[in-house]
Amino acid sequence: MLHEQTAAPQPGEDRTMLLVDDDRPFVGRMARALEQRGFEVRTTETVSEGLAALKAQAPAYAVVDLRLGLGNGLDVIEALRRQRPGARAVVLTGYGNIATAVNAVKLGAIDYLAKPADADEVIAALTRDPEAKAEPPENPMSADRIRWEHIQRIYEMCDRNVSETARRLSMHRRTLQRILAKRAPR
């Protein structure tokens, strides 16, 4: 397991971490698990709190939820990259799609994990050698999931405008609305 690799911080190593998520039960569990593995964790629940925490002290690591109430966690990722270019950040989300994953990486995240992620997955992503190639997924996306991802990407490109997205996909608006209302296929 990863516990042996990441359990004890090395002497002098900066193990400060900012955890930004509006799901309190998840934050509590994740913060405890990360602290048990040697990280010094600060938690915030909103984009503005996350940005304020970065101004006070930019951490070496960050775990940021993509959707934070009315805000976007990518704003925190971008601010962290500007304040501490060497910091390593991971984006967590329950609304995973390829377009936002690509955007997260462009803004400075080193990985993008779907919720519910556990502490070992987060630590593995944060401490992975940047030159190492990621392992291929054990369960690749289904054709339905790939279709859903494509629709989500176009929807995001159209600023979440259903009519414009339907026009670009040559799809009836009501059909698109039904697809968007459903959860992502596995």
Side-chain angles (χ1 to χ4, degrees), residues 92-133:
L92 295 179
T93 187
Y95 307 94
N97 69 53
I98 293 168
T100 52
V102 169
N103 199 20
V105 170
K106 285 180 180 178
L107 291 173
I110 59 167
D111 210 338
Y112 185 91
L113 301 174
K115 280 185 174 180
D118 67 23
D120 290 332
E121 290 174 304
V122 169
I123 293 170
L126 288 169
T127 59
R128 183 177 301 125
D129 178 7
E131 301 301 316
K133 292 182 180 176

Side-chain angles (χ1 to χ4, degrees), residues 20-22 63-68 72-73 91-94 115:
V20 184
D21 198 313
D22 55 3
V63 179
V64 181
D65 189 13
L66 180 64
R67 293 191 183 173
L68 295 164
N72 187 326
V91 172
L92 295 179
T93 187
K115 280 185 174 180

Side-chain angles (χ1 to χ4, degrees), residues 52-165:
L54 288 178
K55 285 183 182 175
Q57 178 191 9
Y61 301 96
V63 179
V64 181
D65 189 13
L66 180 64
R67 293 191 183 173
L68 295 164
L70 300 175
N72 187 326
L74 296 181
D75 295 337
V76 176
I77 298 292
E78 190 173 24
L80 176 62
R81 187 190 65 192
R82 282 193 312 268
Q83 287 193 291
R84 188 167 180 173
R88 298 176 61 84
V90 170
V91 172
L92 295 179
T93 187
Y95 307 94
N97 69 53
I98 293 168
T100 52
V102 169
N103 199 20
V105 170
K106 285 180 180 178
L107 291 173
I110 59 167
D111 210 338
Y112 185 91
L113 301 174
K115 280 185 174 180
D118 67 23
D120 290 332
E121 290 174 304
V122 169
I123 293 170
L126 288 169
T127 59
R128 183 177 301 125
D129 178 7
E131 301 301 316
K133 292 182 180 176
E135 292 292 319
E138 289 182 28
N139 302 320
M141 285 192 278
S142 68
D144 288 337
R145 176 66 186 221
I146 292 170
R147 177 178 178 256
W148 186 85
E149 293 277 353
H150 176 69
I151 290 169
Q152 290 294 318
R153 183 172 58 85
I154 302 302
Y155 184 54
E156 291 294 329
M157 285 174 42
C158 294
D159 293 324
R160 305 176 73 78
N161 181 314
V162 174
S163 297
E164 178 64 16
T165 304

